[in-house]
Amino acid sequence: MKFFIDTANIEEIKTAVAMGVLDGVTTNPSLAAREAAPYKEILGEICRIVPGPVSAEVLSTDAKGMLAEAEELVKIADNVVIKIPTIAEGLVAIKALAEDGIKVNATLVFSSMQALLVAKAGAAYVSPFVGRLDDISTDGMQLIEDIITIYHQYNFNTEVLVASVRHPMHVQQAALMGADVVTMPFKVIDQLIKHPLTDIGLEKFIADYKKAGKN
Ligand code: G3P
């Protein structure tokens, strides 16, 4: 399972790269708005740091506008993936971009039928938002299972990218289900490595060694 980081923060990305776990990056307008530098500048820097796919989202809501934005975004670097919202106009844009060999990440997916449509249109990635479904008392991870089942049934190549991840259990369940990618905030990557018994054990190893006078 590939690990993407869901952030536009350069320091977090650099830290995850140094940890050796990062396969790609997803950004969105809300994440970009938290950073001081302009979006395209940030994307350029991210693409220099991370060789894997970097999702850059369009802001237009009509296909023509989405395609015009995509044309500019792909100039940033070869590893830019265009993030398109899953609406009817988005399908038109996904089809056109896929036909041009441009990778698309279909975002804001909340149902298996939306996932089926974006796969048919040619999206390289589908991003179901599990945390936001959980927020409205709907099982986000059930959606992942449904999408995986449907995609396997028809041999779609679209990768299932679990998004809106809020905690380590989302990541564990995604791995058990065989999701292709999970994108998560830095906080979740950090939570994944932590275990209290590791910390207690490490403290004891060091204390025992020092107690024996080995300094
Ligand atoms: O990858 C999508 C993500 O950025 C949305 O996450 O936590 O705002 O629902 P969240």
Side-chain angles (χ1 to χ4, degrees):
M1 187 170 70
K2 283 172 262 186
F3 270 34
F4 288 4
I5 191 167
D6 196 29
T7 186
N9 183 276
I10 300 295
E11 287 317 306
E12 288 181 345
I13 293 168
K14 282 184 178 166
T15 308
V17 166
M19 286 164 81
V21 297
L22 205 64
D23 300 299
V25 179
T26 51
T27 66
N28 65 38
S30 303
L31 294 171
R34 289 183 203 157
E35 308 302 319
Y39 192 26
K40 279 187 193 154
E41 212 173 279
I42 295 170
L43 287 166
E45 194 167 353
I46 296 173
C47 290
R48 281 191 290 276
I49 301 168
V50 182
V54 174
S55 288
E57 188 158 343
V58 299
L59 283 165
S60 300
T61 53
D62 64 299
K64 201 173 159 219
M66 290 176 193
L67 293 172
E69 283 187 61
E71 203 179 319
E72 292 306 308
L73 290 169
V74 294
K75 287 181 191 158
I76 294 173
D78 289 345
N79 50 335
V80 164
V81 171
I82 305 299
K83 220 173 173 189
I84 300 280
T86 303
I87 55 177
E89 286 287 305
L91 288 179
V92 176
I94 292 169
K95 179 181 185 288
L97 291 168
E99 279 172 358
D100 281 351
I102 295 166
K103 284 192 169 180
V104 173
N105 176 356
T107 191
L108 289 165
V109 166
F110 294 96
S111 80
S112 57
M113 290 303 96
Q114 287 180 312
L116 180 56
L117 287 169
V118 300
K120 285 178 77 72
Y125 301 94
V126 60
S127 286
F129 278 30
V130 296
R132 291 192 194 183
L133 281 171
D134 289 352
D135 288 344
I136 56 159
S137 307
T138 303
D139 188 350
M141 292 311 295
Q142 181 59 52
L143 174 60
I144 301 303
E145 201 172 309
D146 292 348
I147 296 171
I148 290 173
T149 302
I150 292 168
Y151 281 9
H152 280 174
Q153 201 110 289
Y154 299 105
N155 293 322
F156 283 114
N157 292 325
T158 307
E159 293 191 45
V160 179
L161 193 167
V162 182
S164 182
V165 159
R166 302 280 167 78
H167 50 70
M169 289 308 293
H170 279 148
V171 184
Q172 185 186 344
Q173 284 175 283
L176 287 169
M177 287 174 186
D180 300 289
V181 191
V182 171
T183 190
M184 62 203 102
F186 181 78
K187 185 186 133 212
V188 176
I189 298 179
D190 201 40
Q191 286 172 322
L192 288 175
I193 188 69
K194 292 208 168 106
H195 197 290
L197 290 180
T198 305
D199 295 341
I200 292 166
L202 180 60
E203 226 173 85
K204 187 168 171 3
F205 282 157
I206 295 167
D208 286 349
Y209 193 79
K210 280 187 180 163
K211 216 188 297 165
K214 309 277 186 190
N215 80 45

